[in-house]
């Protein structure tokens, strides 16, 4: 007897509907799965067999053929256990079931028949909804993740026995209640706050400009000057994520299997990989083409502390996603693309000992050592850093002062105001911040006066800037103008933007 169920698998973040066709006939006992399954899908034979028997159902002692269609898509993961098991039970004919071909079934089976959670539920359900499915059955442990998808009825399953009862019509599975993102979000208390950063007024101003326009930034200064502390304060001044941004970020974290218990990412990611991490860990890939750290930082911050300590290959791999806001992972089994729209923040010392040019220490490095150290971060990568700022040591009086500096909450209000202007400006352009502007956007929204052009021309010639650097100065100036509430870019905005292209970095 032939039966059909529907499962789902993922290629990157793209969900693929898988027709699970099961045929049970009276040939020699054999269990075969065809349709380009990977090792985890092939191993489902043992899990499915035990789960069916331990759920009180009969496992047919006949020839069982399972076809996973379409056959040209590689099926990965254990989420197809549930549709395979239900298809076998229905094909055996010992149990009368309703239509199983219009409901998406996702779940891994334990040997005792319980349904385990799987990674990537959110992108699968979003794809299922877009493909016209009205119902889905997911593991109970993934219910929170699925509760944010509206327009598709989602049931949560704890065991194969409960799923069988649902399709037999004897007892329906409990339905997942839809959740509201706004009800979950609450003001987060961050461990790092700008009010605890003493002095460093220029660096804090540059930080505010960078976050307001989503600009990449690098800080250079001696050890202990506060570079890392400043970077850790960035999440506390970033605007809260919209529901759309939260879903995008959650999809990536769901596929990577690092989703929090809330079922959705509520705060912007702050990823800081160790300098010994591999290139695959950073950009993604491996045998299963999973997202890397730069994709996990999507809609958030990627912080590289002491950039020269990272390998040249790792740093250079950032150039493409910094321009395209997406990373394409090419492997033998598949080519997948992951979004990578992150704010890159880096820090480094000015020399190997760290005190070159510092007022609080003496540098013992030779000119050759300093040159070799700085060369570890390539010119093309530095050119993609919109803001470069020198962070020197603070004075003792600044450290012992009683008065707290401006808090992150106050800075965040100004950042939100600047971001609101940008959202309105780019509502029809497919971008949201000044940092994402291309040349056509610069030409449309960043018209310069003759005086501003003169200042920019002088800086271009004196600092020997590239065409890319000129564009990035204009984008930063546009952000500074937004922060001051100015409709047009004025001379002070251009001058401040030029000051962030320090030739000492």
């Amino acid at each position: 007897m032939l039966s059909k169920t529907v499962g789902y698998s993922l290629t990157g973040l793209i969900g693929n509907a898988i027709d699970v066709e099961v045929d049970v006939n009276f040939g020699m006992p054999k269990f075969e799965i065809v349709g380009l399954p990977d090792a985890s899908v092939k191993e489902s034979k043992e899990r499915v067999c035990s789960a069916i028997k331990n759920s009180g159902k009969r496992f047919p002692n006949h020839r069982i053929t399972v076809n996973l269609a379409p056959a040209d898509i590689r099926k990965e993961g254990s989420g197809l256990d549930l549709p395979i098991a239900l298809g076998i039970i229905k094909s055996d004919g010992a149990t009368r079931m309703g239509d199983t071909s219009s409901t998406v079934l996702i779940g891994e089976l334990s040997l005792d028949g319980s349904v385990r959670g799987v990674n990537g539920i959110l992108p699968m359900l979003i794809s299922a909804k877009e493909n016209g499915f009205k119902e889905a059955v997911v593991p109970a442990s993934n219910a929170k993740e699925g509760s944010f998808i509206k327009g598709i009825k989602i049931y949560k399953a704890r065991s194969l026995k409960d799923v069988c009862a649902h399709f037999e019509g004897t007892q329906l599975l409990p339905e997942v209640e839809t959740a509201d993102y706004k009800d979950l979000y609450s003001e987060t208390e961050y461990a790092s706050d700008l009010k605890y950063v003493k002095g460093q007024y220029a660096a804090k101003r540059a930080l505010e400009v960078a976050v307001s326009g989503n600009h990449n930034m690098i800080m250079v200064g001696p050890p202990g000057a506060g570079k890392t502390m400043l970077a850790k304060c960035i999440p506390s001044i970033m605007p809260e994520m919209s529901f759309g941004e939260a879903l995008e970020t959650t999809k990536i974290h769901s596929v990577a299997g690092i989703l929090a218990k809330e079922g959705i990412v509520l705060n912007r990611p702050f990823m800081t990989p160790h300098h010994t991490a591999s290139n695959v860990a950073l950009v993604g890939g491996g045998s299963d083409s999973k997202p890397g750290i730069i994709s996990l930082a999507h809609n958030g911050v990627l912080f590289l502390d002491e950039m020269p300590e990272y390998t040249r290959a790792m740093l250079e791999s950032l150039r493409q996603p910094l321009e395209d806001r997406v990373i394409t992972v090419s492997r033998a089994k598949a080519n997948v693309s992951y979004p990578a729209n992150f704010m890159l923040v880096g820090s480094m010392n000015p020399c190997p000992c760290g005190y070159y040019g510092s007022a609080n220490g003496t540098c013992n490095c030779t000119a050759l050592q300093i040159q070799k150290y700085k060369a570890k971060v390539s010119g093309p990568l530095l050119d993609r850093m919109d803001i470069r700022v020198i962070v020197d040591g603070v004075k003792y009086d600044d450290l012992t002062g009683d008065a707290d500096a401006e808090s992150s909450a106050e800075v965040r209000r100004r950042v939100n105001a600047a971001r609101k202007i940008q959202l309105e400006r780019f509502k029809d352009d497919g971008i949201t911040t000044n940092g994402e502007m291309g040349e056509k956007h610069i030409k449309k929204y960043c018209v310069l006066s003759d005086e501003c052009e003169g200042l920019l021309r002088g800086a271009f010639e004196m600092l020997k800037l590239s065409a890319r650097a000129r564009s990035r100065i204009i984008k930063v100036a546009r952000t500074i103008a937004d922060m001051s509430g100015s409709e047009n870019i004025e001379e002070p905005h251009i001058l401040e933007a030029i000051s962030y292209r320090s030739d000492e970095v």
Side-chain angles (χ1 to χ4, degrees):
M1 181 177 173
L2 181 66
S3 69
K4 178 184 173 184
T5 57
V6 180
Y8 249 83
S9 71
L10 287 173
T11 302
L13 294 181
I14 306 301
N16 305 304
I18 305 299
D19 291 332
V20 181
E21 300 170 334
V22 181
D23 180 48
V24 177
N25 57 54
F26 293 97
M28 290 290 291
K30 190 177 182 181
F31 190 171
E32 193 72 30
I33 299 178
V34 298
L36 208 59
D38 74 344
S40 61
V41 179
K42 291 178 180 178
E43 289 175 353
S44 69
K45 292 187 288 188
E46 305 304 324
R47 294 192 297 269
V48 166
C49 178
S50 295
I52 291 175
K53 291 178 180 178
N54 291 321
S55 298
K57 301 296 181 181
R58 187 177 72 180
F59 187 82
N61 190 28
H62 304 299
R63 182 179 181 86
I64 303 171
T65 304
V66 177
N67 178 43
L68 307 177
D72 60 338
I73 296 176
R74 188 168 189 83
K75 288 79 181 178
E76 298 180 347
S78 56
L80 293 173
D81 288 5
L82 185 57
I84 291 174
L86 196 68
I88 291 174
I89 294 171
K90 186 175 181 181
S91 291
D92 183 47
T95 303
R96 295 182 62 86
M97 289 187 180
D99 181 27
T100 59
S101 63
S102 58
T103 301
V104 173
L105 303 169
I106 305 171
E108 177 186 332
L109 292 176
S110 295
L111 298 184
D112 63 357
S114 59
V115 181
R116 293 177 177 269
V118 297
N119 297 334
I121 284 287
L122 188 64
M124 291 184 201
L125 291 176
I126 291 174
S127 179
K129 175 188 170 184
E130 292 172 349
N131 289 337
F133 288 98
K134 301 298 182 184
E135 293 184 347
V137 176
V138 303
S141 58
N142 293 122
K144 281 190 177 180
E145 189 177 343
S147 65
F148 297 95
I149 308 300
K150 298 178 181 178
I152 181 171
K153 189 180 291 186
I154 301 171
Y155 298 99
K156 54 183 176 181
R158 297 190 181 278
S159 68
L160 175 60
K161 186 176 181 179
D162 293 342
V163 176
C164 291
H166 177 83
F167 286 100
E168 290 166 7
T170 58
Q171 185 176 354
L172 294 180
L173 291 168
E175 189 175 341
V176 177
E177 295 181 4
T178 57
D180 194 333
Y181 175 70
K182 292 182 179 179
D183 293 339
L184 280 178
Y185 182 83
S186 60
E187 195 68 30
T188 304
E189 290 189 11
Y190 294 93
S192 299
D193 193 293
L194 283 176
K195 67 182 180 182
Y196 301 124
V197 180
K198 304 294 186 178
Q200 303 299 4
Y201 305 107
K204 286 191 281 190
R205 167 65 179 181
L207 204 69
E208 183 179 344
V209 173
V211 175
S212 295
N214 196 32
H215 300 290
N216 303 318
M217 176 181 179
I218 185 169
M219 296 176 283
V220 180
K227 303 184 296 295
T228 303
M229 189 175 183
L230 281 164
K232 288 182 177 180
C233 290
I234 292 177
S236 67
I237 65 173
M238 295 190 83
E240 65 182 68
M241 286 198 292
S242 66
F243 180 58
E245 289 177 321
L247 278 184
E248 277 187 354
T249 308
T250 301
K251 285 165 64 175
I252 302 170
H253 287 237
S254 175
V255 170
I258 59 171
L259 198 57
K261 61 181 180 179
E262 293 85 0
I264 193 167
V265 178
L266 296 173
N267 299 306
R268 294 187 182 273
F270 182 82
M271 307 301 296
T272 174
H274 194 265
H275 66 269
T276 59
S278 67
N279 202 37
V280 171
L282 186 69
V283 303
S287 60
D288 47 5
S289 299
K290 287 292 177 67
I293 295 172
I294 62 174
S295 293
L296 296 174
H298 180 61
N299 287 324
V301 179
L302 177 66
F303 175 49
L304 301 183
D305 199 8
E306 302 300 339
M307 286 183 70
E309 301 302 323
Y310 292 84
T311 65
R312 186 66 173 253
M314 286 180 67
L315 294 178
E316 294 306 300
S317 67
L318 296 172
R319 288 163 57 175
Q320 182 248 335
L322 284 176
E323 293 292 334
D324 301 336
R325 309 284 176 174
V326 67
I327 180 71
T328 300
V329 180
S330 298
R331 296 293 184 266
K333 293 181 180 179
N335 294 334
V336 296
S337 295
Y338 292 108
N341 185 8
F342 56 87
M343 174 183 167
L344 176 62
V345 179
S347 72
M348 61 181 288
N349 294 328
C351 67
C353 79
Y355 292 102
Y356 176 70
S358 173
N360 295 346
T362 303
C363 177
N364 298 314
C365 304
T366 65
L368 181 60
Q369 287 175 324
I370 295 173
Q371 183 182 1
K372 287 178 66 177
Y373 182 79
K374 288 186 174 182
K376 291 182 179 180
V377 182
S378 69
L381 181 59
L382 280 177
D383 209 33
R384 288 169 167 83
M385 308 300 281
D386 300 358
I387 295 176
R388 310 177 191 176
V389 61
I390 302 297
V391 182
D392 204 351
V394 295
K395 297 179 180 178
Y396 189 82
D397 290 341
D398 290 331
L399 294 174
T400 56
D402 292 332
D404 281 337
E406 193 174 35
S407 70
S408 290
E410 296 171 33
V411 176
R412 190 179 198 180
R413 281 193 285 272
R414 295 198 297 268
V415 169
N416 283 332
R419 287 284 184 108
K420 188 176 180 181
I421 293 172
Q422 294 166 58
L423 282 172
E424 180 63 26
R425 175 186 297 133
F426 302 125
K427 61 183 179 182
D428 299 322
D429 293 295
I431 60 175
T432 57
T433 60
N434 292 330
E436 300 171 68
M437 284 195 294
E439 289 302 320
K440 68 173 184 179
H441 303 118
I442 293 175
K443 188 173 182 180
K444 182 178 180 181
Y445 299 115
C446 304
V447 178
L448 301 181
S449 64
D450 292 340
E451 292 78 10
C452 290
E453 282 286 7
L455 288 172
L456 196 53
R457 179 189 293 274
F460 186 87
E461 295 173 351
M462 182 179 297
L463 300 177
K464 296 181 173 57
L465 300 176
S466 66
R468 183 190 293 115
R470 177 186 180 276
S471 298
R472 292 183 180 268
I473 288 175
I474 294 174
K475 288 193 282 188
V476 173
R478 177 67 270 173
T479 297
I480 297 170
D482 291 340
M483 294 169 65
S484 63
S486 174
E487 184 177 346
N488 299 314
I489 298 175
E490 307 291 348
E491 293 174 67
H493 309 145
I494 284 286
L495 287 171
E496 183 177 354
I498 292 172
S499 73
Y500 294 135
R501 302 297 297 190
S502 173
D503 57 358
E504 295 181 38
V505 177

